[in-house]
Amino acid sequence: VTATGREALRYGLQALRALGLRLTELAQMSPLSVATLKRHTRSLDPSLAAEGASLEKLSLQSKEALTLVWVHAIARGRPLAPPVPQRAFLDFFCSVCLTRSSRPSPSDGLVERDRTGGWPADLTEALVYGLQTCERGAGVCASAPARFAALLLALRVHPWEAYSFVIGEIAPQRWWVRTCLGCERDVVTEAASTRLCVPCRARSRRSTSHPMGAPGGPHLHRRSVTWT
Ligand SMILES: [Zn+2]
Ligand SMILES: [Zn+2]
């Protein structure tokens, strides 16, 4: 990781801490050690900390937004196998690092090679610098912390809730992009084995039962999203 990438990574990690993520929680989602994380998140932006205090619980809308971010921005519509078992969330929440084959060693994250980097002005800059580092093949994803923090701010949701939802309900195994065998459109389905979009499934069933799956309650898993 270059100095620029390192500072982008540190900026993102500090933002996540400022938004209310505990050190132990951050350690669970990062490939870096607790000691490393602690060292690099000592100073926190007070304005971000104020933002963190006003974040809210996950709504159905924010769950759908997180799902679409995963499918479109991170997975980029690619049918995916689970990347690497036990891979840390903040090392694959990135379209570049998602398909990186090897798991980095924890010490690989914040190695100092040069001192020409600059402290990012904001999350957007950290995200851009981090992504440039990812594209050069960093050992640890440099952009995911800033990306996740920016997403939390945009959706106004608590970091740990958003993380638990993404890990448990979306990435990397629950949602798949497939070509519907019936109409040949690209569809996002809840399982790799589902090869028909909702309308085609309903048609093939030719039954009077509910074409959208079980009625009532949240249907995030039972609904397919289509686009052209
Ligand atoms: Zn990355
Ligand atoms: Zn179809």
Side-chain angles (χ1 to χ4, degrees):
V1 177
T2 62
T4 308
R6 184 185 66 247
E7 305 222 323
L9 178 57
R10 287 180 60 215
Y11 191 96
L13 293 170
Q14 290 185 12
L16 289 175
R17 285 281 285 126
L19 290 177
L21 205 60
R22 294 160 195 229
L23 191 60
T24 50
E25 293 171 339
L26 185 58
Q28 192 166 326
M29 57 176 90
S30 169
L32 303 173
S33 71
V34 175
T36 303
L37 291 170
K38 198 172 182 178
R39 196 165 63 246
H40 289 290
T41 56
R42 266 196 202 118
S43 59
L44 301 177
D45 185 334
S47 66
L48 275 179
E51 295 260 26
S54 67
L55 296 179
E56 290 157 18
K57 287 195 167 300
L58 279 187
S59 63
L60 190 59
Q61 285 89 340
S62 46
K63 287 179 178 178
E64 296 203 355
L66 286 169
T67 303
L68 292 174
V69 165
W70 166 258
V71 170
H72 291 288
I74 308 295
R76 288 191 173 164
R78 292 169 290 195
L80 295 168
V84 177
Q86 282 98 46
R87 195 165 169 200
F89 171 72
L90 288 179
D91 200 42
F92 71 71
F93 197 64
C94 167
S95 59
V96 175
C97 297
L98 176 63
T99 52
R100 194 151 45 78
S101 57
S102 63
R103 191 173 179 227
S105 69
S107 60
D108 199 17
L110 293 162
V111 178
E112 299 196 23
R113 293 218 184 111
D114 62 79
R115 296 196 160 273
T116 58
W119 190 243
D122 53 26
L123 277 173
T124 306
E125 210 170 278
L127 183 46
V128 170
Y129 292 163
L131 195 57
Q132 287 168 355
T133 306
C134 293
E135 280 164 353
R136 284 198 299 268
V140 166
C141 180
S143 67
R147 178 178 297 101
F148 189 49
L151 186 60
L152 297 169
L153 279 170
L155 298 176
R156 312 291 319 156
V157 293
H158 283 293
W160 186 251
E161 278 193 41
Y163 163 75
S164 303
F165 175 74
V166 173
I167 285 295
E169 307 295 330
I170 311 172
Q173 297 180 55
R174 286 290 182 87
W175 288 75
W176 292 71
V177 179
R178 300 310 229 172
T179 301
C180 174
L181 294 177
C183 63
E184 298 194 336
R185 281 184 306 170
D186 286 337
V187 295
V188 180
T189 68
E190 72 273 22
S193 58
T194 305
R195 298 306 303 272
L196 291 173
C197 70
V198 169
C200 290
R201 252 185 288 168
R203 258 195 299 280
S204 75
R205 234 183 267 131
R206 290 186 187 286
S207 90
T208 52
S209 66
H210 307 281
M212 297 293 287
H219 289 332
L220 213 46
H221 300 293
R222 300 210 167 255
R223 191 208 51 192
S224 289
V225 180
T226 61
W227 73 92
T228 51

